[in-house]
Amino acid sequence: MTNREELIYKAKVCEQTERFEDMIECMKQVIASKSEELTTEERNLLSVAYKNTVGSRRTAWRALSAIEQKEESKGGKHTPLLRDYKKKIEEELNKFCNDILNLITDQILKACTTAESKVFFKKMKGDYYRYISEYASGEQHSKVSQEALAVYNDATTDAEELKKTNPIRLGLALNFSVFHYEVLNDPQKACTMAKTAFDDAIGEIEELGDDEYKDSTTIMQLIRDNLTLWSSELDEGEGDDK
C-alpha cells in the first residue's frame, strides 16, 4: 500500500468517525503528493471534508445570530458576549473557506483537464465565496458576492460541455440559482435559471445511465422544490402590488 493509498484510507476513516478537520489534512497531503488531476473519489473526499467542517460552523453561526437577535430585542446584557462569540465563529469560517479557495485556485484547477473537473471545482469556489457572503458585511460582502458571481458564470460556461442531466451540471444550476435568490436577492433570475436547468434535464432524462440516475434525479427534485417555493413567493408579491 502506497503512502497515497494510506492517506485515502485514513481520509475515509476520518469521514466514518466524523473527524473532518483531520480528513482535510489527509486530503491536502494527497493534493501535495500529485501533479495530475484529482480522481472522482479524491475530489469527493475533499468536498466532504470541507463541507462538513464549514457546515457545522455555518449552522452554529445561524443559531447564534438568532439567539443574539432575541437577546438584543429584549435589551439583554449578554449581547456583547454573543457578538464576540459570533466573531470567533466567523474567524473559523474565514480560515476554512479561504483555505479551500486558495487550494482550488493555486493547485487544483491548474491540474484540471476535463470539463467535469473544472465545473466541479469552479462550482465549489462559488459555493465557498457564497458561504462567506452569508456573514460578511459592507465592502467584503460586495467583494465576495462578485467573486462568487464571476466563478459561477465561468463554471456555467464550462458546463455547456456536459450533458444536461450530468449531476455536477445540475448541482451547479441548483447552487447558482440559490445564490441569485439568497445573496443577490433576485428571485426572478433564480426561478428562470432553475426552470431552465430542470426543463433541459427532463428533456434528456431517458438518456441517464444507472450510475448517475439517483444523483441527478435527487438534485432535480431539489431544484423543483426551490422553484415551487420561489414561484409561489413571487406570485404572492405580485398580489401585494395590485
Side-chain angles (χ1 to χ4, degrees), residues 101-138:
L101 287 168
N102 291 333
L103 202 59
I104 293 171
T105 303
D106 298 339
Q107 296 182 57
I108 297 172
L109 272 176
K110 290 178 180 178
C112 288
T113 56
T114 63
E116 190 167 277
S117 276
K118 289 174 185 175
V119 174
F120 183 94
F121 286 111
K122 286 177 182 179
K123 169 193 166 291
M124 201 169 169
K125 271 186 77 173
D127 291 342
Y128 282 88
Y129 278 126
R130 175 165 59 90
Y131 299 156
I132 296 172
S133 77
E134 291 174 347
Y135 59 85
S137 58

Side-chain angles (χ1 to χ4, degrees), residues 11 14-15 19-28 42-57 96 100 124 128:
C14 289
E15 180 182 5
R19 296 279 297 178
F20 297 110
E21 289 178 46
D22 291 343
M23 190 178 178
I24 284 175
E25 293 309 312
C26 289
M27 294 314 299
K28 285 169 87 169
E42 290 164 353
R43 74 187 185 209
N44 287 339
L45 287 169
L46 180 71
S47 178
V48 165
Y50 276 98
K51 189 170 186 178
N52 282 280
T53 298
V54 170
S56 61
R57 288 165 173 83
F96 289 109
I100 184 60
M124 201 169 169
Y128 282 88

Side-chain angles (χ1 to χ4, degrees), residues 2-13:
T2 65
N3 182 51
R4 182 182 178 71
E5 289 172 330
E6 288 179 352
L7 287 168
I8 293 295
Y9 177 78
K10 186 178 177 183
K12 291 176 181 177
V13 171

Side-chain angles (χ1 to χ4, degrees), residues 18-106:
E18 299 186 4
R19 296 279 297 178
F20 297 110
E21 289 178 46
D22 291 343
M23 190 178 178
I24 284 175
E25 293 309 312
C26 289
M27 294 314 299
K28 285 169 87 169
Q29 288 180 60
V30 169
I31 293 164
S33 71
K34 68 183 293 187
S35 57
E36 66 269 23
E37 186 174 68
L38 293 182
T39 65
T40 300
E41 179 184 50
E42 290 164 353
R43 74 187 185 209
N44 287 339
L45 287 169
L46 180 71
S47 178
V48 165
Y50 276 98
K51 189 170 186 178
N52 282 280
T53 298
V54 170
S56 61
R57 288 165 173 83
R58 289 173 70 210
T59 301
W61 186 89
R62 285 193 292 264
L64 196 52
S65 294
I67 296 167
E68 179 196 10
Q69 194 173 30
K70 191 174 179 181
E71 183 73 8
E72 197 171 20
S73 67
K74 66 180 184 182
K77 64 181 180 180
H78 299 302
T79 302
L81 180 150
L82 293 168
R83 283 182 184 153
D84 285 344
Y85 190 41
K86 195 165 77 166
K87 192 175 291 185
K88 178 180 182 292
I89 294 172
E90 288 172 5
E91 287 170 357
E92 292 178 6
L93 281 165
N94 272 330
K95 174 192 168 187
F96 289 109
C97 287
N98 286 315
D99 192 32
I100 184 60
L101 287 168
N102 291 333
L103 202 59
I104 293 171
T105 303
D106 298 339

Side-chain angles (χ1 to χ4, degrees), residues 129-151 179 183-185:
Y129 278 126
R130 175 165 59 90
Y131 299 156
I132 296 172
S133 77
E134 291 174 347
Y135 59 85
S137 58
E139 191 177 327
Q140 190 197 16
H141 180 273
S142 177
K143 182 184 176 185
V144 295
S145 297
Q146 288 306 308
E147 293 278 11
L149 180 62
V151 76
F179 170 77
V183 180
L184 298 186
N185 297 312

